[in-house]
Amino acid sequence: MSLWQAGAEHELEITGLNHAGAGVGRIDGRVVFVPDSLPGERVRIRITETKKRYGTGTLLQVLDAAPERIEPTCPHAQFCGGCQFQHLDYEAQLKWKGLSVQDALERIGGLDLSVKPTVGMARPYEYRNNTQHAVGRQAGHMVMGFFRKGSHDIVDVSTCELQHPLATQLALNLKDLVRVLNIEPYDRKGHTGVLRHAVIRVSFAVEELMLVLVTRTPELPNQAELIERLTDEIPQLVSIAHNVNPRPGSTVMGRETKVIWGKPYLVESIGDLRYAISPASFFQVNSKQTKVLYDLVKAKLPLSGKETVLDLYCGAGTIGLYLAADAGRIIGVETAKSAVLDAEKNAELNRITNAEFRLGRAEDELPRLLQEYKEIDAVILDPPRRGCDPSLLAELIAAEIPRIVYVSCNPATLARDLAILTEGGYSPGTVQPVDMFPWTSHVECGVLMSRV
Ligand SMILES: C[S@@+](CC[C@H](N)C(=O)[O-])C[C@H]1O[C@@H](n2cnc3c(N)ncnc32)[C@H](O)[C@@H]1O
């Protein structure tokens, strides 16, 4: 067997971690990515995939362990793809997140910026308010859980220490009922079957649950009985929605969502504000750290009560409304209709009268807003992982907006976009990473860009 082919076994040193948290080593000059390994470790691996210049491997044995290595507490850690850092001490995770942000800024953006220590959680467990449980059939059995590392096979999880215990309870009860009521699990290979995903959302403020059942087919069989039994068993379940996703592929939710039982939304609190979130709207997954993030935006953007502030990519209006008491006017822009409706509802819920929300793409709405409001004092950017459209950045630069706060969940696109803004005449402040996603390789950042 060639040494550079799937199945070959090797011993090697791990010298770094890539952006996805996998260990990086070398075999004969080629790079190998080894999930679950750590820098400074000597490991034995089996190659699983090879390309010309790089490959991936599975960790077989740690021969020399790094001092930051810990024993995972999760029984599914070895296979479940939900976490990347179950084997890494929490303090070391925070340190790595700061370094990986610094690295992305330098490597991708050519920026040498001051990156503050990552703000972590005092108790980095049971923090997720939203988990997406994949449903499928494997070896003739119905399974429900999270995707296996590097695959779309499902790890049939019994517990997850990242999610609220009520979500774990609901997932277990639902799994039983799906079996008992013979609701056919989705088959990802053949694109047949019915139930694809169960999305569970929790309000930490009031301990209520929302369940979104995603099916391939327009109908959810045995719907009435499922609802009756589940809501009987889990009194905290206050809202059930049905989403139809008829397309093959890995996108979880389809376009159509209908509330089929209970309340149309969950209400979560961040600081003094209450936010209604409907099934298809984005909400930050870590309610506790969201307060840290939004306070950070507030601190980076002191306001006098007079400013016009744009909240672009506003989701359910959450950041803009958080700042509304300090601003003259908030205008949010968002592409998801349900989120815009939630944002309007959230303004009402919090008796905020100086905020309005527009449905549309930020890059399309910005030129109109610049026409309409001659003085825009500050802009908040909180785009999805792909970052901002270049035309939006060009408009902001041309309009010479005095202050921009960029909130990002992807250091790579943050680096790219900050480089464009810097080139366009903005001076970056310090970058503050916030750990919204303990035990994973993901990190959120906030940074103020000031017009020079
Ligand atoms: C990372 S979320 C941020 C939401 C919100 N700021 C928060 O803190 O909850 C990004 C949001 O941008 C929306 N979005 C995606 N592309 C967009 C675009 N081109 N223009 C405006 N909004 C967009 C998504 O629907 C999502 O709600």
Side-chain angles (χ1 to χ4, degrees):
M1 177 188 280
S2 143
L3 291 177
W4 190 246
Q5 92 178 45
E9 293 189 10
H10 293 267
E11 274 186 30
L12 69 153
E13 303 285 342
I14 299 298
T15 52
L17 289 177
N18 72 0
H19 69 281
V24 182
R26 281 182 180 271
I27 297 172
D28 277 347
R30 295 175 176 114
V31 174
V32 195
F33 301 112
V34 186
D36 306 327
S37 66
L38 295 173
E41 292 189 327
R42 184 154 186 84
V43 295
R44 200 159 64 79
I45 69 154
R46 181 179 302 121
I47 295 186
T48 47
E49 199 189 347
T50 55
K51 302 271 187 230
K52 205 163 162 203
R53 292 213 187 89
Y54 70 93
T56 46
T58 313
L59 180 66
L60 296 177
Q61 193 183 354
V62 179
L63 303 167
D64 283 322
E68 309 82 32
R69 177 171 284 279
I70 56 169
E71 197 54 45
T73 48
C74 171
H76 308 293
Q78 196 185 351
F79 303 112
C80 178
C83 291
Q84 295 79 47
F85 283 145
Q86 280 283 330
H87 57 293
L88 181 60
D89 168 70
Y90 188 55
E91 282 305 315
Q93 290 174 40
L94 296 178
K95 207 160 142 202
W96 177 78
K97 289 186 184 191
L99 290 173
S100 85
V101 170
Q102 186 106 50
D103 175 66
L105 290 167
E106 278 172 22
R107 207 169 26 83
I108 300 165
L111 299 165
D112 179 16
L113 304 185
S114 155
V115 177
K116 295 262 189 180
T118 307
V119 185
M121 298 187 77
R123 189 176 170 273
Y125 300 101
E126 295 173 358
Y127 64 81
R128 285 194 72 102
N129 58 30
N130 182 335
T131 33
Q132 301 176 330
H133 302 250
V135 181
R137 186 184 292 284
Q138 277 164 204
H141 297 285
M142 179 248 173
V143 289
M144 184 170 140
F146 305 115
F147 291 125
R148 200 181 161 102
K149 287 173 191 172
S151 108
H152 278 123
D153 289 348
I154 297 168
V155 179
D156 195 21
V157 305
S158 55
T159 177
C160 170
E161 56 190 37
L162 268 49
Q163 71 184 357
H164 195 289
L166 278 175
T168 303
Q169 191 57 58
L170 174 55
L172 292 176
N173 288 35
L174 175 67
K175 189 165 18 177
D176 280 349
L177 283 175
V178 168
R179 277 193 197 118
V180 170
L181 297 175
N182 276 323
I183 299 172
E184 202 189 333
Y186 180 59
D187 172 356
R188 283 173 172 72
K189 292 197 178 91
H191 190 51
T192 55
V194 177
L195 188 59
R196 299 174 69 137
H197 264 94
V199 178
I200 299 178
R201 297 181 94 158
V202 191
S203 159
F204 279 63
V206 291
E207 302 224 312
E208 287 183 346
L209 294 158
M210 170 187 276
L211 171 66
V212 186
L213 296 162
V214 184
T215 61
R216 181 188 65 84
T217 49
E219 268 86 47
L220 172 62
N222 289 328
Q223 178 177 307
E225 193 167 356
L226 180 67
I227 292 174
E228 196 187 325
R229 293 180 64 170
L230 207 50
T231 51
D232 238 30
E233 291 172 11
I234 311 269
Q236 295 90 344
L237 179 57
V238 297
S239 170
I240 304 181
H242 177 202
N243 174 278
V244 180
N245 182 2
R247 296 177 187 217
S250 56
T251 305
V252 174
M253 302 254 276
R255 291 209 181 118
E256 242 181 87
T257 309
K258 202 166 67 190
V259 175
I260 52 174
W261 183 86
K263 300 183 188 177
Y265 45 77
L266 272 189
V267 177
E268 179 62 298
S269 298
I270 306 294
D272 295 334
L273 277 88
R274 291 194 304 146
Y275 295 111
I277 312 138
S278 50
S281 299
F282 176 91
F283 193 75
Q284 302 284 351
V285 298
N286 183 329
S287 300
K288 203 165 205 170
Q289 291 294 86
T290 298
K291 177 164 185 330
V292 174
L293 184 72
Y294 290 2
D295 283 339
L296 173 75
V297 176
K298 225 180 199 178
K300 290 204 178 285
L301 194 66
L303 298 168
S304 68
K306 298 202 183 76
E307 294 85 353
T308 296
V309 180
L310 302 188
D311 179 7
L312 303 183
Y313 312 90
C314 69
T318 43
I319 302 183
L321 294 172
Y322 206 75
L323 302 183
D326 302 329
R329 174 195 282 129
I330 301 282
I331 304 153
V333 180
E334 163 64 45
T335 44
K337 191 165 180 201
S338 71
V340 173
L341 295 173
D342 286 353
E344 284 164 353
K345 197 178 313 126
N346 289 332
E348 265 178 54
L349 204 62
N350 293 287
R351 300 202 174 81
I352 291 171
T353 52
N354 62 340
E356 59 172 287
F357 298 94
R358 301 202 175 177
L359 178 65
R361 299 196 309 169
E363 54 273 35
D364 299 337
E365 290 303 311
L366 180 63
R368 293 184 199 126
L369 289 166
L370 288 166
Q371 281 290 321
E372 226 171 292
Y373 299 94
K374 296 294 173 223
E375 292 278 297
I376 290 175
D377 302 286
V379 170
I380 297 151
L381 299 174
D382 184 9
R385 287 186 65 75
R386 67 175 179 277
C388 294
D389 192 273
S391 69
L392 178 126
L393 298 173
E395 285 277 350
L396 291 174
I397 291 167
E400 302 190 354
I401 305 292
R403 291 181 291 168
I404 300 172
V405 176
Y406 199 129
V407 176
S408 162
C409 58
N410 183 351
T413 52
L414 174 71
R416 181 199 67 198
D417 291 352
L418 290 194
I420 295 172
L421 289 171
T422 307
E423 181 72 24
Y426 282 85
S427 161
T430 54
V431 179
Q432 179 64 68
V434 177
D435 191 21
M436 306 281 278
F437 320 100
W439 310 100
T440 78
S441 57
H442 296 278
V443 59
E444 192 86 16
C445 289
V447 55
L448 169 69
M449 302 295 284
S450 311
R451 186 81 202 169
V452 178

